[in-house]
Amino acid sequence: MTGTSEGLDPVIHPLPKLSICALLAAGPQWVEFRVVRETTGLSDSMVSKHSRALEEAGYIEVRKGGIGRRPRTWFRMTPLGQARYGGHVAALQQLLQREPDQGPTPDA
């Protein structure tokens, strides 16, 4: 990657995935699907779609089980996911701290 996008992770960068990663990185070890959905404001299908992409990239783990007769799904960040999320956040912070280019001003 070059320019301002250096260090940004293309897997995490889309807002739905970034929201899921932020929740999992800040929260307890395992987070239930319902909590991810309610906290991020994503629909069930969007949580499923984006969590599947994060799982395929190795950034999160998914555990399925049940409580009583009700099926449940839980997520947690993997060590790889933690590292990539941390790097992504650091790159975002670095972008925010950059001085704007002092190039030529447009003609008025």
Side-chain angles (χ1 to χ4, degrees):
M1 290 183 196
T2 60
T4 60
S5 63
E6 191 165 332
L8 295 178
D9 188 308
V11 173
I12 294 174
H13 194 66
L15 188 55
K17 291 183 187 97
L18 182 59
S19 298
I20 292 169
C21 288
L23 173 64
L24 296 180
Q29 192 73 345
W30 289 98
V31 179
E32 190 176 349
F33 184 99
R34 175 188 55 80
V35 174
V36 173
R37 181 190 65 222
E38 291 172 0
T39 303
T40 62
L42 298 170
S43 66
D44 286 1
S45 63
M46 292 299 282
V47 171
S48 294
K49 174 185 172 182
H50 292 292
S51 64
R52 187 170 26 259
L54 290 166
E55 180 184 26
E56 288 171 0
Y59 291 14
I60 68 170
E61 291 179 69
V62 178
R63 184 175 77 189
K64 295 190 178 267
I67 297 178
R69 294 183 180 186
R70 295 181 180 217
R72 294 284 194 263
T73 301
W74 295 269
F75 306 108
R76 76 172 172 186
M77 196 76 99
T78 64
L80 173 64
Q82 286 282 6
R84 296 286 170 86
Y85 174 73
H88 188 79
V89 169
L92 288 172
Q93 290 172 336
Q94 195 171 35
L95 284 173
L96 291 171
Q97 294 173 359
R98 285 183 57 190
E99 292 292 324
D101 291 337
Q102 296 297 321
T105 57
D107 292 337

